[in-house]
């Protein structure tokens, strides 16, 4: 059963303005989920919105973490019911999409959110919600290090190869982002991401 809204917001986190919507992009395996999990432990009042996907769960993943895992039929039914801000077929025809009702509810009610999106989905999202969206691109320190991280995470060589194939497309869009950062030293990167988000939240009206 897919919930109507993915997040239960704590009313004390409500801001006296529209919610900020942070979109994190970067090649698969660069460390987006790792960074988000770590900053969420440190920052109060920002919520991770899980994307919806039809890909299978990896060991260590669970429902809502980091995705809402659904069947192809369920995803296609959600497309038909206009439940996505954007969606794409990525990596061997798996669907990935951003849940529109959760995003709109957060923004309209003054809650700050962050989610993960590929570069093409990010373009669609900005076209549809042009205001209060802040985009952050995460780069790997090198392609060798990216391959290493992918191989450490996943023993399925074919799955890793598919993710590496997409890297040039992802990197080709990095200059369109509001912020770019390199995820080299993890502690330093967490600090950098936190300061990007804090900088926006402190200055937005
Ligand atoms: P993404 O969400 O971008 O696909 P993950 O967060 O799943 O990437 O990270 C991919 C792998 O890289 C994981 O095994 C994670 O522990 C590791 N990782 C993430 N950041 C770093 C870092 N700064 N240094 C070394 N390994 C990292
Ligand atoms: P995986 O988690 O299977 O390794 O790869 C996920 C890929 O899909 C990454 O490029 C990630 O940025 C992208 N992705 C994750 N969630 C979404 C989403 O909701 N929409 C789009 N368009 N891409 C997503």
């Amino acid at each position: 059963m897919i919930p109507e809204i993915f997040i239960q917001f704590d009313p004390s986190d409500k801001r006296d303005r529209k919610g900020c919507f942070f979109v994190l992009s970067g090649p698969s395996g660069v460390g987006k989920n790792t960074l988000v999990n770590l900053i969420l432990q440190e920052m109060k009042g920002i919520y991770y919105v899980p994307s919806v996907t039809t890909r299978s769960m990896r060991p260590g993943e669970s429902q809502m973490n980091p995705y809402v895992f659904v069947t192809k039929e369920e995803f296609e039914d959600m497309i038909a019911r206009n439940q996505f801000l954007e969606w794409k077929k990525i990596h061997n025809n798996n669907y990935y999409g951003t849940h529109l009702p959760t995003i709109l509810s957060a923004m309209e009610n003054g809650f700050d959110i962050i989610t993960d999106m590929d570069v093409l989905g990010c373009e669609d999202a900005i076209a549809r919600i042009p205001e209060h969206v802040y985009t952050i691109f995460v780069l790997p320190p090198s392609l060798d290090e990216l391959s290493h991280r992918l191989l450490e995470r996943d023993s399925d060589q074919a799955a890793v190869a598919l993710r590496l194939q997409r890297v040039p497309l992802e990197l080709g869009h990095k200059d369109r982002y509001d912020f770019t950062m390199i995820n080299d030293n993890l502690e330093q990167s967490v600090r950098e991401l936190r300061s990007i988000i804090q900088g926006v939240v402190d200055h937005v009206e």
Side-chain angles (χ1 to χ4, degrees), residues 26 28 32 51 55 58 67 86 88 90-91 96-98 116-118 121 153 163 170:
S28 180
K32 299 179 295 296
S51 298
R55 87 147 158 75
R58 292 187 191 120
Y67 292 107
E86 60 73 41
K88 291 279 169 263
I90 312 176
H91 306 323
Y96 294 81
T98 307
D116 179 342
M117 235 178 255
D118 86 308
R153 187 181 67 182
R163 282 159 179 77
E170 295 272 337

Side-chain angles (χ1 to χ4, degrees), residues 109-128:
N109 290 299
F111 295 102
D112 295 338
I113 47 173
I114 184 163
T115 195
D116 179 342
M117 235 178 255
D118 86 308
V119 291
L120 303 178
C122 182
E123 279 190 357
D124 292 356
I126 296 167
R128 214 161 155 190

